[in-house]
Amino acid sequence: MTFEEYCIKKKIDSAAFFAHEPGRWQNWKEEFEQMHPNSFTEQKKFLINETRRKYLLQDGSK
């Protein structure tokens, strides 16, 4: 699974996230690639929810 696919699974608009916070997006992508998705989710649980609220993936968007 790629980081972009993970964002879709978590209903985060990856493109909007990258456009507004490229540094954090890149940092998360690098961390995601170094661990299991479940471990990443556990580590970033509260931050993922905050990010989803900011960059909610709309139905049909990818």
Side-chain angles (χ1 to χ4, degrees):
M1 172 185 305
T2 67
F3 181 64
E4 291 81 359
E5 291 168 337
Y6 177 81
C7 286
I8 291 169
K9 180 180 173 190
K10 295 298 179 182
K11 299 181 181 172
I12 297 171
D13 186 337
S14 181
F17 181 20
F18 179 76
H20 290 92
E21 299 183 58
R24 186 163 76 135
W25 185 93
Q26 187 63 42
N27 185 15
W28 280 23
K29 183 178 187 297
E30 290 169 5
E31 290 178 17
F32 179 82
E33 291 171 349
Q34 295 176 14
M35 64 180 81
H36 191 277
N38 293 345
S39 297
F40 182 83
T41 301
E42 277 300 311
Q43 186 179 48
K44 304 286 186 197
K45 184 176 283 187
F46 297 107
L47 296 173
I48 289 169
N49 289 334
E50 172 189 313
T51 303
R52 180 185 304 118
R53 283 190 287 275
K54 283 182 175 176
Y55 310 112
L56 182 62
L57 183 65
Q58 301 300 316
D59 290 337
S61 301
K62 288 189 182 179

